[in-house]
């Protein structure tokens, strides 16, 4: 009986079973990695969609107020608190965006979001400067400088808001470097 284990009729099925088990383990390991990458990308995509929605709401409200000041429908001092709140919100959004972990092939997208948020922050500073000029120093020359600063800030804010929307749409449709869709959702 001791030679029974070494017979080819017994060894071949055992070796085949071991190879199949090894192959199955390798497939499971690879599938686990793929699922983890998909989960990570889905979390990134959801975070970007949520963040972009909040940014759009915050900037949308302040853009309307700035436009009203620009058109002389509101006094500039009426939006000072809104400008401060929007500036703080943009800084929080920037910090939140910097903490995001995108898929490795799309890390530039996070950097682009941060750049657009910084642009929005500078635009708000420009509007704050123009608003301060309107309230503190009357006169035709100061009025022109103030209106120019407000208008430039307003336009930069609109452009940053549009770019953030575009980047959020791109994040919602992440693709692999070869151009094929990697992840399942189709839109925001």
């Amino acid at each position: 009986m001791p030679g029974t284990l070494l017979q080819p009729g017994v060894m071949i099925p055992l070796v085949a079973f071991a190879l199949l088990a090894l192959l199955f383990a390798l497939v499971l390991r690879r599938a686990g990695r793929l699922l983890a990458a998909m989960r990570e990308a889905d979390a990134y995509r959801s975070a970007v969609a949520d963040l972009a929605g909040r940014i759009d709401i915050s900037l949308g409200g302040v853009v309307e107020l700035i436009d009203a000041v620009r058109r002389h429908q509101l006094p500039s001092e009426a939006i000072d608190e809104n400008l401060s709140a929007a500036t703080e919100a943009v800084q929080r959004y920037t910090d939140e965006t910097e903490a995001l972990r995108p898929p490795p092939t799309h890390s530039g997208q996070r950097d682009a979001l941060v750049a657009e948020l910084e642009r929005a922050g500078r635009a708000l500073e420009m509007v704050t400067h123009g608003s301060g000029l309107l309230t503190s120093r009357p006169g035709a020359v100061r009025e022109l400088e103030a209106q120019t600063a407000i208008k430039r800030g307003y336009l930069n804010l609109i452009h940053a808001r549009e770019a953030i929307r575009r980047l959020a749409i791109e994040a919602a449709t992440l693709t692999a470097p070869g151009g094929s869709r990697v992840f399942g959702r189709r839109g925001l």
Side-chain angles (χ1 to χ4, degrees):
M1 284 295 222
T4 326
L5 288 176
L6 299 176
Q7 292 178 357
V10 175
M11 284 301 284
I12 291 175
L14 285 176
V15 169
F17 176 76
L19 286 174
L20 283 174
L22 180 64
L23 184 62
F24 185 68
L26 289 174
V27 168
L28 281 178
R29 182 176 173 196
R30 195 165 216 188
R33 285 183 185 164
L34 180 62
L35 285 174
M38 288 176 68
R39 237 181 280 120
E40 187 176 298
D42 191 42
Y44 170 73
R45 186 177 46 241
S46 296
V48 168
D50 175 57
L51 186 62
R54 289 184 286 135
I55 291 169
D56 193 53
I57 291 169
S58 294
L59 294 183
V62 79
V63 162
E64 289 177 12
L65 293 172
I66 294 168
D67 190 40
V69 168
R70 206 172 60 82
R71 296 177 186 275
H72 301 288
Q73 296 168 345
L74 273 178
S76 62
E77 57 272 355
I79 66 167
D80 287 344
E81 289 180 24
N82 299 89
L83 291 174
S84 295
T87 302
E88 290 172 13
V90 165
Q91 184 56 50
R92 283 192 313 273
Y93 296 144
T94 302
D95 295 341
E96 192 175 332
T97 303
E98 288 172 343
L100 290 177
R101 292 186 43 172
T105 57
H106 293 83
S107 62
Q109 187 178 58
R110 179 195 56 211
D111 298 338
L113 279 168
V114 169
E116 291 303 329
L117 284 166
E118 289 172 349
R119 177 183 185 185
R122 289 188 306 273
L124 287 167
E125 288 174 8
M126 190 175 290
V127 171
T128 302
H129 170 71
S131 178
L133 287 176
L134 279 178
T135 57
S136 67
R137 299 184 187 143
V141 174
R142 289 295 180 183
E143 170 79 19
L144 181 61
E145 181 183 350
Q147 287 299 329
T148 301
I150 290 171
K151 186 172 184 176
R152 284 185 180 168
Y154 169 78
L155 291 174
N156 277 323
L157 203 54
I158 287 175
H159 293 301
R161 185 177 173 207
E162 289 171 357
I164 290 167
R165 276 190 205 144
R166 180 184 44 77
L167 289 166
I169 290 170
E170 286 176 15
T173 57
L174 286 177
T175 56
S180 63
R181 281 187 61 80
V182 175
F183 310 108
R185 286 193 193 158
R186 298 194 186 264
L188 279 177

